[in-house]
């Protein structure tokens, strides 16, 4: 059965047509290959790597190149790169193209000092001419569709998204994702969906709205009201890949998902994958009855058995909670 999120025309990104209009947003250190596979399985129709340094790519830095590894199950997959020097961006685009992703995305939204300090990420937004030069360099050096992910501007006094969008269109970018905040806001305040809608209306290329989508109904509402071609979900997908389908898992389905995630992590990273699993576990148990008690154990997770033990705590807590919720006398 077709999900009702695909009752609209799906977005066409060059010659890529994702199966619906819900995408997974890139989250550094979190949306790795295992998580991308999970998101795809749950219905995200397009996934992205985290932002990857063009300097690292051009120098063939092994840690950087590892971030570009992926499996076929993730397709369609966008590889997201960041940098500020057009020539280096072009070189990196050629290398990335050779790795065979479905599209290349340019990060123009990252707010961390390490990235902005070198003129990359959201710092590019301060200069629409540079936005154009960087995007054009990537477009010229790949046959793949090129997309960009932006914020609304650098700060409240420079919400220059109209100029930035025009620069990107002129460069040949075929889709623009918009996180509805400025760089100065980082993650504070609320995403400005009115500005996102304005961009969706003025842009000649499809626009993907992003920011603060917390559940499936919210995603549908944003699709309905923003005029965006698609929406992208980041933090809301952590510990809740069901956000892409609208399903609510019961406790056994949740546990199965956590253990499957754990096995994907160890398959990808080896035993250390269990340590990396800690941050996902914290998200999966969020809001559960004995989450506070479990949270204390997360820092000690090193093996699969540690995860299995935590699942037992989770199961016990939930059994307790359904009993507690029963009406008196039931
Ligand atoms: C921990 C973390 C890491 C992020 N890493 C990236 C990244 O690598 N590339 C990128 O374009 N955006 C990155 N973002 C921004 C998200 O993609 C997204 O734009 C933002 O979180 C708002 O969407 P959300 O409310 O659905 O999470 C990151 C955000 C967070 C919280």
């Amino acid at each position: 059965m077709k999900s009702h999120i695909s009752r609209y025309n799906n977005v066409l990104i060059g010659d890529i047509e994702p199966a619906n209009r819900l995408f997974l947003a890139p989250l550094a250190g979190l949306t790795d290959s295992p998580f991308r596979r999970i998101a795809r399985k749950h219905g995200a129709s397009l996934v992205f790597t985290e932002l990857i340094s063009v300097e690292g790519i051009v120098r063939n830095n092994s840690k950087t190149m590892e971030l570009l590894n992926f499996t076929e199950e993730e397709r369609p997959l966008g590889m997201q790169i960041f940098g500020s020097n057009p020539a280096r961006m072009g070189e990196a685009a050629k290398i990335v193209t050779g790795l065979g992703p479905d599209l290349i995305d340019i990060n123009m939204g990252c707010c961390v000092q390490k990235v902005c300090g070198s003129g990359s990420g959201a710092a590019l937004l301060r200069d629409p001419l540079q936005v154009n030069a960087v995007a054009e360099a990537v477009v010229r050096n790949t046959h793949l569709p090129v997309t960009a992910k932006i914020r609304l501007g650098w700060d409240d006094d420079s919400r220059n998204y109209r100029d930035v969008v025009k620069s990107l269109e002129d460069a040949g970018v075929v889709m623009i994702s918009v996180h509805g905040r400025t760089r100065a806001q980082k993650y504070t305040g609320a995403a400005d969906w009115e500005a996102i809608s304005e961009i969706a209306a003025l842009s000649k290329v499809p626009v993907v709205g992003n920011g603060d989508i917390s559940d499936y109904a919210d995603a549908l509402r944003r699709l309905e009201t923003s005029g965006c071609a698609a929406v992208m979900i980041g933090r809301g997908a952590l510990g809740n890949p069901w956000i892409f389908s609208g399903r609510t898992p019961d406790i056994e389905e949740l546990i199965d998902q956590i253990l499957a995630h754990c096995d994907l992590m160890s398959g990808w990273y080896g035993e250390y994958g269990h340590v990396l699993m800690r941050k996902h576990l914290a998200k999966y148990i969020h809001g559960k009855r004995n989450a506070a008690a479990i949270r204390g154990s997360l820092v000690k997770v090193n093996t699969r058995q540690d995860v299995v033990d935590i699942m037992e705590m989770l199961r016990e807590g939930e059994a307790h909670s359904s009993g507690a919720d029963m009406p008196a006398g039931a």
Side-chain angles (χ1 to χ4, degrees):
M1 192 182 76
K2 263 195 154 188
S3 155
H4 65 287
I5 44 173
S6 57
R7 68 177 182 235
Y8 306 92
N9 289 336
N10 289 332
V11 55
L12 203 56
I13 313 161
D15 55 359
I16 314 288
E17 189 180 354
N20 64 47
R21 306 199 300 155
L22 296 183
F23 303 163
L24 175 68
L27 299 172
L30 293 158
T31 56
D32 52 8
S33 172
F35 193 72
R36 295 193 298 262
R37 276 178 264 164
I38 291 168
R40 287 284 293 119
K41 191 175 130 245
H42 282 269
S45 65
L46 177 63
V47 297
F48 293 84
T49 67
E50 66 180 77
L51 80 174
I52 300 176
S53 156
V54 298
E55 299 301 327
I57 294 170
V58 169
R59 290 196 209 113
N60 199 26
N61 176 289
S62 60
K63 283 238 150 42
T64 306
M65 298 315 282
E66 271 171 28
L67 294 173
L68 292 158
N69 290 336
F70 67 98
T71 65
E72 290 299 309
E73 292 155 70
E74 293 160 50
R75 290 189 188 282
L77 166 76
M79 285 185 179
Q80 190 188 66
I81 57 174
F82 75 93
S84 58
N85 176 309
R88 310 285 270 181
M89 295 294 280
E91 262 183 84
K94 277 189 207 159
I95 297 168
V96 167
T97 302
L99 302 175
D102 296 283
L103 61 86
I104 299 180
D105 188 55
I106 308 172
N107 181 300
M108 299 190 173
C110 183
C111 61
V112 307
Q113 181 53 31
K114 211 171 102 193
V115 170
C116 290
S118 61
S120 311
L124 283 167
L125 304 177
R126 306 181 90 166
D127 183 356
L129 286 179
Q130 189 67 6
V131 164
N132 179 269
V134 160
E136 202 176 57
V138 176
V139 170
R140 236 185 300 116
N141 284 285
T142 184
H143 65 273
L144 295 171
V146 176
T147 62
K149 183 160 175 283
I150 66 170
R151 285 185 180 237
L152 298 177
W154 180 255
D155 60 19
D156 264 354
D157 297 328
S158 57
R159 290 170 39 120
N160 61 346
Y161 48 82
R162 292 174 205 82
D163 295 339
V164 168
V165 166
K166 173 92 174 47
S167 290
L168 290 170
E169 289 168 356
D170 291 348
V173 161
V174 294
M175 181 180 83
I176 301 172
S177 305
V178 184
H179 175 194
R181 289 186 173 84
T182 62
R183 189 268 178 178
Q185 279 182 290
K186 299 200 171 153
Y187 295 93
T188 63
D192 179 352
W193 278 86
E194 279 191 17
I196 294 173
S197 301
E198 185 191 336
I199 296 173
L202 67 86
S203 172
K204 295 190 188 118
V205 299
V207 168
V208 181
N210 167 241
D212 304 342
I213 292 176
S214 57
D215 58 33
Y216 182 76
D218 200 19
L220 294 190
R221 180 170 65 89
R222 291 304 188 190
L223 277 174
E224 295 269 349
T225 58
S226 69
C228 286
V231 295
M232 191 181 249
I233 302 170
R235 292 168 295 177
L238 297 173
N240 182 23
W242 294 273
I243 197 168
F244 296 108
S245 65
R247 284 175 42 70
T248 306
D250 63 21
I251 184 68
E252 290 309 321
E253 194 178 349
L254 174 67
I255 290 174
D256 286 351
Q257 173 58 66
I258 293 173
L259 292 174
H261 192 164
C262 177
D263 293 339
L264 290 178
M265 292 295 270
S266 55
W268 193 247
Y269 297 107
E271 273 300 295
Y272 187 63
H274 297 118
V275 175
L276 296 174
M277 189 64 199
R278 293 174 187 175
K279 51 194 170 189
H280 291 286
L281 284 167
K283 298 292 180 184
Y284 281 117
I285 64 160
H286 182 79
K288 294 288 172 259
R289 187 184 159 93
N290 54 352
I294 295 178
R295 209 166 287 122
S297 314
L298 293 184
V299 289
K300 296 183 213 127
V301 168
N302 291 302
T303 65
R304 187 177 203 277
Q305 188 56 47
D306 294 337
V307 179
V308 170
D309 292 346
I310 283 176
M311 293 306 96
E312 214 32 63
M313 288 171 78
L314 188 60
R315 196 176 270 125
E316 277 166 23
E318 290 303 293
H320 215 100
S321 104
S322 40
D325 288 347
M326 271 189 217

